Amino acid sequence: MIALTPLAFVSQTPPEAEALLAKMRAAYQAVKSAKFTVQFEAADSTGPTVTGSVNYEYMSPSKLRAEFTVPPQAPFRLICNGKAIAIFTSAGKRREFSFSFKTLSANLPTNLETICFYDAEHELSVGKGGNMAHSKLQVLTSVPWNDKKWTVLRETDSAEDITVDYFIDPASSLIYRTLGSEISSKKTYIDARVIALQLNPTIDPSRFDL
């Protein structure tokens, strides 16, 4: 019998990061509904920075309504009923897609501060197939932002040339800011901030009708 080195089974993720991810997953999965507003600045190497805001309504496990304001574009809307996703423009045009978590996330200009409400199990995971499986994680404490001290989960993905800081409220274990930068250029590509959040409000299910 060949002896297997114990190091082969040791996780490369610091235990404090794994513990934080577990708390975050539990916190998001406990949310049955939410209303929240996200302000964002997003950019990539092919175009200018886009600035806007989104008013979200969420109902567990996968219903989402998003009202977008992204000047100079006219406001538009996305609705997901858990089976299909529809995008409505101000001109009355409509595009519809079959539902998947990946498709839903691809049509949102924000990041994990939003996505984790409906897909925390995948997004906040270092396990096989998890969103952070190939990332290096670091936990920072008492990081100042917006007149408050935050826990920051820093994710570095060298293969993707990005580093992302998730600003986490120590009391609720929810993300209030996603700040992502390119490692090589130091350029910020996403800064999404939750500026208002109401947990477990009553929401009329018809809000998610397509």
Side-chain angles (χ1 to χ4, degrees), residues 23-72:
K23 287 179 63 177
M24 294 168 69
R25 287 193 299 270
Y28 279 105
Q29 290 166 351
V31 176
K32 302 306 179 186
S33 65
K35 292 182 178 181
F36 58 104
T37 300
V38 177
Q39 289 184 341
F40 68 90
E41 296 175 1
D44 59 39
S45 58
T46 63
T49 299
V50 176
T51 301
S53 63
V54 191
N55 290 322
Y56 288 104
E57 296 174 54
Y58 162 75
M59 185 177 291
S60 177
S62 55
K63 294 181 179 180
L64 192 73
R65 181 186 179 100
E67 306 277 352
F68 300 88
T69 302
V70 188

Side-chain angles (χ1 to χ4, degrees), residues 20-165:
L20 178 58
L21 288 174
K23 287 179 63 177
M24 294 168 69
R25 287 193 299 270
Y28 279 105
Q29 290 166 351
V31 176
K32 302 306 179 186
S33 65
K35 292 182 178 181
F36 58 104
T37 300
V38 177
Q39 289 184 341
F40 68 90
E41 296 175 1
D44 59 39
S45 58
T46 63
T49 299
V50 176
T51 301
S53 63
V54 191
N55 290 322
Y56 288 104
E57 296 174 54
Y58 162 75
M59 185 177 291
S60 177
S62 55
K63 294 181 179 180
L64 192 73
R65 181 186 179 100
E67 306 277 352
F68 300 88
T69 302
V70 188
Q73 301 179 55
F76 59 101
R77 175 183 304 138
L78 177 149
I79 299 176
C80 173
N81 64 6
K83 297 179 181 179
I85 302 164
I87 297 176
F88 304 85
T89 70
S90 59
K93 295 183 179 180
R94 167 175 168 159
R95 291 185 293 147
E96 191 166 320
F97 314 90
S98 296
F99 169 77
S100 73
F101 288 133
K102 184 176 181 180
T103 301
L104 179 57
S105 300
N107 284 282
L108 300 177
T110 49
N111 205 275
L112 291 201
E113 78 297 321
T114 298
I115 297 171
C116 284
F117 279 99
Y118 58 82
D119 198 17
E121 189 66 31
H122 170 259
E123 295 295 332
L124 300 174
S125 173
V126 295
K128 184 178 180 181
N131 180 59
M132 298 181 177
H134 302 292
S135 299
K136 177 182 177 182
L137 300 180
Q138 180 183 6
V139 177
L140 310 175
T141 57
S142 299
V143 177
W145 170 63
N146 203 24
D147 298 322
K148 185 176 174 178
K149 301 290 188 180
W150 301 82
T151 299
V152 169
L153 178 65
R154 176 166 293 169
E155 178 187 11
T156 301
D157 189 332
S158 299
E160 296 292 331
D161 191 40
I162 61 171
T163 183
V164 188
D165 283 354

Side-chain angles (χ1 to χ4, degrees), residues 184-200:
S184 55
S185 69
K186 310 297 183 184
K187 180 181 177 181
T188 297
Y189 72 88
I190 184 70
D191 188 355
R193 305 168 300 279
V194 177
I195 62 169
L197 172 62
Q198 183 181 359
L199 294 176
N200 299 315

Side-chain angles (χ1 to χ4, degrees), residues 1-18:
M1 178 182 290
I2 299 176
L4 298 178
T5 171
L7 292 178
F9 301 100
V10 176
S11 170
Q12 299 302 304
T13 303
E16 64 270 22
E18 291 192 344

